[in-house]
PDB file of all heavy atoms in Angstrom:
ATOM      1  N   ARG A 466     -24.505 -20.904 -34.981  1.00 80.00           N
ATOM      2  CA  ARG A 466     -25.370 -19.736 -34.937  1.00 80.00           C
ATOM      3  C   ARG A 466     -24.497 -18.527 -35.183  1.00 80.00           C
ATOM      4  O   ARG A 466     -23.316 -18.607 -34.943  1.00 80.00           O
ATOM      5  CB  ARG A 466     -25.985 -19.537 -33.572  1.00 80.00           C
ATOM      6  CG  ARG A 466     -26.414 -20.807 -32.984  1.00 80.00           C
ATOM      7  CD  ARG A 466     -26.932 -20.476 -31.640  1.00 80.00           C
ATOM      8  NE  ARG A 466     -27.512 -21.703 -31.154  1.00 80.00           N
ATOM      9  CZ  ARG A 466     -28.196 -21.742 -30.035  1.00 80.00           C
ATOM     10  NH1 ARG A 466     -28.371 -20.662 -29.329  1.00 80.00           N
ATOM     11  NH2 ARG A 466     -28.689 -22.897 -29.647  1.00 80.00           N
ATOM     12  N   PRO A 467     -25.127 -17.467 -35.551  1.00 82.00           N
ATOM     13  CA  PRO A 467     -24.317 -16.253 -35.681  1.00 82.00           C
ATOM     14  C   PRO A 467     -23.817 -15.858 -34.310  1.00 82.00           C
ATOM     15  O   PRO A 467     -24.471 -16.138 -33.301  1.00 82.00           O
ATOM     16  CB  PRO A 467     -25.304 -15.202 -36.205  1.00 82.00           C
ATOM     17  CG  PRO A 467     -26.621 -15.847 -36.342  1.00 82.00           C
ATOM     18  CD  PRO A 467     -26.541 -17.229 -35.801  1.00 82.00           C
ATOM     19  N   PHE A 468     -22.678 -15.262 -34.244  1.00 86.00           N
ATOM     20  CA  PHE A 468     -22.138 -14.782 -32.991  1.00 86.00           C
ATOM     21  C   PHE A 468     -22.926 -13.525 -32.632  1.00 86.00           C
ATOM     22  O   PHE A 468     -22.819 -12.487 -33.261  1.00 86.00           O
ATOM     23  CB  PHE A 468     -20.653 -14.435 -33.203  1.00 86.00           C
ATOM     24  CG  PHE A 468     -19.838 -14.570 -31.968  1.00 86.00           C
ATOM     25  CD1 PHE A 468     -19.126 -15.727 -31.723  1.00 86.00           C
ATOM     26  CD2 PHE A 468     -19.800 -13.522 -31.050  1.00 86.00           C
ATOM     27  CE1 PHE A 468     -18.333 -15.821 -30.544  1.00 86.00           C
ATOM     28  CE2 PHE A 468     -19.031 -13.648 -29.894  1.00 86.00           C
ATOM     29  CZ  PHE A 468     -18.309 -14.781 -29.645  1.00 86.00           C
ATOM     30  N   SER A 469     -23.744 -13.656 -31.593  1.00 84.00           N
ATOM     31  CA  SER A 469     -24.638 -12.530 -31.317  1.00 84.00           C
ATOM     32  C   SER A 469     -24.009 -11.603 -30.311  1.00 84.00           C
ATOM     33  O   SER A 469     -23.045 -11.923 -29.668  1.00 84.00           O
ATOM     34  CB  SER A 469     -25.972 -13.070 -30.752  1.00 84.00           C
ATOM     35  OG  SER A 469     -25.831 -13.291 -29.405  1.00 84.00           O
ATOM     36  N   ILE A 470     -24.641 -10.450 -30.172  1.00 83.00           N
ATOM     37  CA  ILE A 470     -24.106  -9.462 -29.245  1.00 83.00           C
ATOM     38  C   ILE A 470     -24.176  -9.991 -27.814  1.00 83.00           C
ATOM     39  O   ILE A 470     -23.357  -9.648 -26.963  1.00 83.00           O
ATOM     40  CB  ILE A 470     -24.816  -8.104 -29.420  1.00 83.00           C
ATOM     41  CG1 ILE A 470     -24.312  -7.083 -28.435  1.00 83.00           C
ATOM     42  CG2 ILE A 470     -26.302  -8.232 -29.322  1.00 83.00           C
ATOM     43  CD1 ILE A 470     -23.508  -5.993 -29.013  1.00 83.00           C
ATOM     44  N   ALA A 471     -25.114 -10.867 -27.546  1.00 79.00           N
ATOM     45  CA  ALA A 471     -25.228 -11.427 -26.206  1.00 79.00           C
ATOM     46  C   ALA A 471     -24.037 -12.330 -25.883  1.00 79.00           C
ATOM     47  O   ALA A 471     -23.572 -12.408 -24.741  1.00 79.00           O
ATOM     48  CB  ALA A 471     -26.528 -12.233 -26.049  1.00 79.00           C
ATOM     49  N   HIS A 472     -23.476 -12.987 -26.911  1.00 86.00           N
ATOM     50  CA  HIS A 472     -22.275 -13.780 -26.734  1.00 86.00           C
ATOM     51  C   HIS A 472     -21.070 -12.959 -26.360  1.00 86.00           C
ATOM     52  O   HIS A 472     -20.082 -13.455 -25.822  1.00 86.00           O
ATOM     53  CB  HIS A 472     -21.878 -14.453 -28.041  1.00 86.00           C
ATOM     54  CG  HIS A 472     -22.544 -15.727 -28.316  1.00 86.00           C
ATOM     55  ND1 HIS A 472     -23.311 -15.951 -29.404  1.00 86.00           N
ATOM     56  CD2 HIS A 472     -22.567 -16.867 -27.630  1.00 86.00           C
ATOM     57  CE1 HIS A 472     -23.775 -17.167 -29.384  1.00 86.00           C
ATOM     58  NE2 HIS A 472     -23.344 -17.743 -28.314  1.00 86.00           N
ATOM     59  N   LEU A 473     -21.141 -11.707 -26.724  1.00 93.00           N
ATOM     60  CA  LEU A 473     -19.981 -10.869 -26.505  1.00 93.00           C
ATOM     61  C   LEU A 473     -19.693 -10.702 -25.032  1.00 93.00           C
ATOM     62  O   LEU A 473     -18.545 -10.586 -24.617  1.00 93.00           O
ATOM     63  CB  LEU A 473     -20.204  -9.478 -27.150  1.00 93.00           C
ATOM     64  CG  LEU A 473     -19.060  -8.507 -26.918  1.00 93.00           C
ATOM     65  CD1 LEU A 473     -17.795  -9.015 -27.625  1.00 93.00           C
ATOM     66  CD2 LEU A 473     -19.397  -7.110 -27.381  1.00 93.00           C
ATOM     67  N   ARG A 474     -20.744 -10.752 -24.203  1.00 94.00           N
ATOM     68  CA  ARG A 474     -20.509 -10.495 -22.778  1.00 94.00           C
ATOM     69  C   ARG A 474     -19.503 -11.469 -22.198  1.00 94.00           C
ATOM     70  O   ARG A 474     -18.521 -11.054 -21.571  1.00 94.00           O
ATOM     71  CB  ARG A 474     -21.822 -10.635 -21.976  1.00 94.00           C
ATOM     72  CG  ARG A 474     -22.834  -9.561 -22.334  1.00 94.00           C
ATOM     73  CD  ARG A 474     -23.497  -9.008 -21.068  1.00 94.00           C
ATOM     74  NE  ARG A 474     -22.561  -8.171 -20.346  1.00 94.00           N
ATOM     75  CZ  ARG A 474     -22.763  -7.736 -19.130  1.00 94.00           C
ATOM     76  NH1 ARG A 474     -23.843  -8.053 -18.459  1.00 94.00           N
ATOM     77  NH2 ARG A 474     -21.883  -6.957 -18.533  1.00 94.00           N
ATOM     78  N   SER A 475     -19.719 -12.747 -22.390  1.00 96.00           N
ATOM     79  CA  SER A 475     -18.764 -13.722 -21.834  1.00 96.00           C
ATOM     80  C   SER A 475     -17.373 -13.526 -22.443  1.00 96.00           C
ATOM     81  O   SER A 475     -16.369 -13.635 -21.752  1.00 96.00           O
ATOM     82  CB  SER A 475     -19.276 -15.142 -22.108  1.00 96.00           C
ATOM     83  OG  SER A 475     -18.292 -16.066 -21.677  1.00 96.00           O
ATOM     84  N   THR A 476     -17.357 -13.219 -23.733  1.00 97.00           N
ATOM     85  CA  THR A 476     -16.076 -13.068 -24.392  1.00 97.00           C
ATOM     86  C   THR A 476     -15.314 -11.854 -23.854  1.00 97.00           C
ATOM     87  O   THR A 476     -14.121 -11.947 -23.486  1.00 97.00           O
ATOM     88  CB  THR A 476     -16.274 -12.915 -25.913  1.00 97.00           C
ATOM     89  OG1 THR A 476     -17.177 -13.935 -26.377  1.00 97.00           O
ATOM     90  CG2 THR A 476     -14.998 -12.989 -26.678  1.00 97.00           C
ATOM     91  N   ALA A 477     -16.009 -10.729 -23.762  1.00 97.00           N
ATOM     92  CA  ALA A 477     -15.348  -9.507 -23.309  1.00 97.00           C
ATOM     93  C   ALA A 477     -14.935  -9.556 -21.835  1.00 97.00           C
ATOM     94  O   ALA A 477     -13.827  -9.217 -21.490  1.00 97.00           O
ATOM     95  CB  ALA A 477     -16.263  -8.296 -23.586  1.00 97.00           C
ATOM     96  N   ILE A 478     -15.872 -10.018 -21.020  1.00 98.00           N
ATOM     97  CA  ILE A 478     -15.592 -10.095 -19.560  1.00 98.00           C
ATOM     98  C   ILE A 478     -14.518 -11.096 -19.282  1.00 98.00           C
ATOM     99  O   ILE A 478     -13.534 -10.862 -18.564  1.00 98.00           O
ATOM    100  CB  ILE A 478     -16.870 -10.400 -18.765  1.00 98.00           C
ATOM    101  CG1 ILE A 478     -17.872  -9.266 -18.941  1.00 98.00           C
ATOM    102  CG2 ILE A 478     -16.544 -10.652 -17.303  1.00 98.00           C
ATOM    103  CD1 ILE A 478     -19.276  -9.596 -18.374  1.00 98.00           C
ATOM    104  N   GLY A 479     -14.629 -12.286 -19.921  1.00 98.00           N
ATOM    105  CA  GLY A 479     -13.636 -13.343 -19.683  1.00 98.00           C
ATOM    106  C   GLY A 479     -12.248 -12.928 -20.168  1.00 98.00           C
ATOM    107  O   GLY A 479     -11.247 -13.164 -19.508  1.00 98.00           O
ATOM    108  N   HIS A 480     -12.214 -12.287 -21.343  1.00 98.00           N
ATOM    109  CA  HIS A 480     -10.934 -11.837 -21.857  1.00 98.00           C
ATOM    110  C   HIS A 480     -10.271 -10.808 -20.927  1.00 98.00           C
ATOM    111  O   HIS A 480      -9.072 -10.891 -20.678  1.00 98.00           O
ATOM    112  CB  HIS A 480     -11.173 -11.212 -23.254  1.00 98.00           C
ATOM    113  CG  HIS A 480      -9.943 -10.859 -23.983  1.00 98.00           C
ATOM    114  ND1 HIS A 480      -9.817  -9.712 -24.712  1.00 98.00           N
ATOM    115  CD2 HIS A 480      -8.725 -11.491 -24.095  1.00 98.00           C
ATOM    116  CE1 HIS A 480      -8.590  -9.681 -25.274  1.00 98.00           C
ATOM    117  NE2 HIS A 480      -7.928 -10.737 -24.892  1.00 98.00           N
ATOM    118  N   ALA A 481     -11.084  -9.924 -20.371  1.00 98.00           N
ATOM    119  CA  ALA A 481     -10.530  -8.934 -19.439  1.00 98.00           C
ATOM    120  C   ALA A 481     -10.040  -9.626 -18.144  1.00 98.00           C
ATOM    121  O   ALA A 481      -8.959  -9.315 -17.641  1.00 98.00           O
ATOM    122  CB  ALA A 481     -11.575  -7.877 -19.116  1.00 98.00           C
TER     123      ALA A 481
END
Side-chain angles (χ1 to χ4, degrees):
R466 317 180 174 186
F468 207 97
S469 83
I470 178 110
H472 274 121
L473 179 65
R474 292 223 74 192
S475 174
T476 312
I478 295 171
H480 187 220

